Amino acid sequence: MANLTQKYIDIVKDRYPNEPEFLQTVEEVLTSIEPVVEAHPEYIESGLMDRIIEPERMIQFRVPWMDDEGKAHVNRGWRVQFNSALGPYKGGIRFAPNVYPGILKFLAFEQIFKNSLTGLPIGGGKGGSDFDPNGKSNNEIMRFCQSFVTELYKYVGPNEDDPAGDMGVGGREIGYIMGQYKRLTNQYDGTFSGKGTENGGLYGRTEATGYGIVFFAREVLKHFGETLDGKTAVISGFGNVAWGTTQKLEQLGAKVIAFSGPDGYILDEAGVTGEKVDYLLELRASGKNICAPYAEKFAGAKFFPGEKPWGVKADLYIPCAMQNDIQLEHAKQLVENGARYLIEGANMPTTNEAIQYLQAHNVVVGPSKAANAGGVACSCLEMSQNAQHIVFSAEDVYAKLEGIMVNIFKQIEDACDQYNLGENFVAGANIAGFERVAKAMMWQGLV
């Protein structure tokens, strides 16, 4: 059976040799689902395995825009519509200079199984551009967003593809995108999620991913007879995901003692709470580095320039920044620290090699496609809110989010029990997500 799954990994290697992120996620998923494929030979015979590793559709387009000095620029834009077996494509838009097809295909492939785990009727997609919003004026960002969606609008819609925000694309950018979409289509149909609440957005959406991560972490600890109360945590990054994670950890009795930014990391053993969080939000909004100014302002905080925080001893580690933030060398640091729990907040923040090392040394890994699924779950709630022309309260959203995250962990536990995986929650999440998609694909035939 290992040879059968390796066949499809080799296909991806041969077709896309210059897309390591995409290969990484395909390898992680396919090696996990071997027992499912062994139990269902029809997945091979029907060509399902051949189809699930190839996007249904991938659109590339140019994005011309003009800066404040009147100079013309051209960026590239993409939308990867990977799998619609469960519903309309759903996944974010990312603006960053390192965006290219391999990054977006990795994110879209992960999104298929993440969306499946939520139990909601949404397929997997992702999109974005190699545009760098840093240092751009509001007017430049508006002009870029308008140009971007002038091409993208042809391929999206509430029952076709409902993009959300991602790195570099927040409420401001989604607002500009939505405004131009409405102008072009004369439709106010909620095609884009992550909007401001005045534009039909969802209360609680900004913090949803971080809150969901902590709800998931709570379930992981509960599985082992522990609670979050009194636990210390180390996170990487301080975007919306890290902010929501920090806030919910504090509410449930834990505290963040270290976080990182582009300039290094901060160790604050007193805890990142209250006004400290507010100050970090101010720094982030200003576009400045966050660590050095934090250390200058708060006594007792120590700044470690140019370093990652994985050498800090804590109960819980939650990477919330970028893919492959934790590599083998960092995994060894965590093990030396006596780490027990790693809950992935960012998309694929740990290399496959590092995950294997951590699991071999009894570190419990909560995989990103499960732990950070709260964000897309709430994006789907926003779709539902827009379709029904109603407004959910923040309390409604938090309650629904918590229920979804509890159910996601239950699916993983069940998959681990069914396939004798022990506490390999990475494999359990991949299997639970894959099974739902595979069944839908089989029902729909060779399409």
Side-chain angles (χ1 to χ4, degrees), residues 21-38:
E21 299 89 355
F22 180 44
L23 175 60
Q24 180 181 336
T25 188
V26 168
E27 194 166 26
E28 183 224 292
V29 172
L30 295 195
T31 54
S32 294
I33 64 173
E34 286 177 6
V36 183
V37 179
E38 187 172 18

Side-chain angles (χ1 to χ4, degrees), residues 115-339:
N115 292 359
S116 173
L117 284 168
T118 68
L120 298 168
I122 41 178
K126 206 77 177 185
S129 173
D130 56 6
F131 171 75
D132 186 357
N134 291 313
K136 304 296 191 300
S137 71
N138 282 334
N139 283 335
E140 287 172 332
I141 288 173
M142 179 181 70
R143 287 193 290 270
F144 177 82
C145 290
Q146 290 174 339
S147 182
F148 179 82
V149 79
T150 295
E151 184 65 26
L152 181 66
Y153 91 96
K154 306 167 189 175
Y155 310 104
V156 299
N159 297 308
E160 178 181 357
D161 186 348
D162 191 302
D166 191 77
M167 187 179 299
V169 180
R172 173 183 60 175
E173 289 76 17
I174 289 293
Y176 292 147
I177 286 170
M178 176 204 168
Q180 181 73 351
Y181 174 85
K182 181 166 64 74
R183 182 189 203 181
L184 292 165
T185 64
N186 199 30
Q187 299 291 320
Y188 202 121
D189 57 20
T191 290
F192 296 92
S193 56
K195 304 180 293 293
T197 52
E198 296 82 5
N199 286 324
L202 190 75
Y203 287 105
R205 174 63 185 90
T206 304
E207 61 269 30
T209 304
Y211 278 28
I213 290 165
V214 179
F215 288 140
F216 184 82
R218 183 193 65 193
E219 296 306 299
V220 171
L221 268 65
K222 187 187 296 184
H223 177 89
F224 293 97
E226 298 188 51
T227 69
L228 285 169
D229 191 43
K231 295 291 191 296
T232 56
V234 170
I235 64 176
S236 61
F238 211 86
N240 283 340
V241 176
W243 163 64
T245 299
T246 300
Q247 190 177 69
K248 182 54 70 174
L249 282 171
E250 183 180 6
Q251 291 173 8
L252 296 184
K255 68 177 178 181
V256 171
I257 60 169
F259 66 89
S260 67
D263 51 341
Y265 81 86
I266 286 289
L267 173 61
D268 186 350
E269 295 181 350
V272 183
T273 59
E275 64 168 323
K276 296 176 180 178
V277 177
D278 296 337
Y279 182 62
L280 283 169
L281 294 176
E282 288 178 25
L283 290 172
R284 191 188 69 186
S286 72
K288 299 176 182 176
N289 282 327
I290 61 174
C291 293
Y294 182 100
E296 291 171 4
K297 184 174 178 65
F298 298 109
K302 299 176 183 177
F303 174 42
F304 297 83
E307 295 185 33
K308 292 179 179 288
W310 309 124
V312 176
K313 189 174 180 62
D315 300 307
L316 194 63
Y317 297 86
I318 309 178
C320 297
M322 288 282 288
Q323 65 270 7
N324 294 331
D325 195 19
I326 296 177
Q327 303 193 18
L328 181 59
E329 62 187 282
H330 307 119
K332 291 179 177 179
Q333 285 183 302
L334 296 179
V335 170
E336 288 171 6
N337 287 339

Side-chain angles (χ1 to χ4, degrees), residues 1-9 30-31 34 38:
M1 180 48 52
N3 290 332
L4 287 176
T5 55
Q6 187 61 46
K7 168 188 171 182
Y8 300 102
I9 294 169
L30 295 195
T31 54
E34 286 177 6
E38 187 172 18

